[in-house]
Amino acid sequence: MRPKPPPGTELARLDDLPDPGARAADWESGAVLLVRRGDTVTAWANICPHAGMPLTLPDGRGLLHKGETLVCPAHGASFDATGGACTGGPAADNRLTPVAVEIAGGIVYAA
Ligand code: FES
């Protein structure tokens, strides 16, 4: 199990996140996956509930399909990027682990 960031931890500058898009925060070697859509950011533990692999590519990019669906690069499980539920593939009946975040002054912080 990867750690969760303590409240107030700076995770990323909003402007450094693709929009729409997903990428790992620098904190703890990419332990948190950030998903941006406009001024909204949701965050998830960067670990797939299927087999425990990262949800990001080695360069830290997340695969966000049509701005709505996260796809695990390991075996293709898909997840609703808003609610975290599995929507297809081998992680059925599992969901992503949320990480609370807030945005202040253009910075994404753990909440
Ligand atoms: S580890 Fe993500 S689909 Fe298998």
Side-chain angles (χ1 to χ4, degrees):
M1 183 128 208
R2 301 187 85 172
K4 281 191 174 185
T9 301
E10 183 175 328
L11 297 174
R13 292 178 46 84
L14 185 63
D15 287 348
D16 289 342
L17 299 176
D19 180 22
R23 78 161 175 83
D26 292 335
W27 184 79
E28 288 288 330
S29 303
V32 176
L33 174 61
L34 302 170
V35 180
R36 178 181 180 189
R37 283 160 296 176
D39 291 333
T40 301
V41 173
T42 53
W44 309 98
N46 190 8
I47 186 167
C48 179
H50 171 232
M53 303 290 286
L55 290 161
T56 49
L57 297 166
D59 66 3
R61 287 180 296 136
L63 303 176
L64 185 65
H65 182 65
K66 294 186 175 179
E68 299 177 357
T69 303
L70 279 167
V71 178
C72 177
H75 311 109
S78 57
F79 301 90
D80 171 30
T82 301
C86 181
T87 56
D93 298 327
N94 288 305
R95 56 189 318 118
L96 302 179
T97 301
V99 175
V101 294
E102 60 188 5
I103 302 170
I107 305 292
V108 182
Y109 296 96

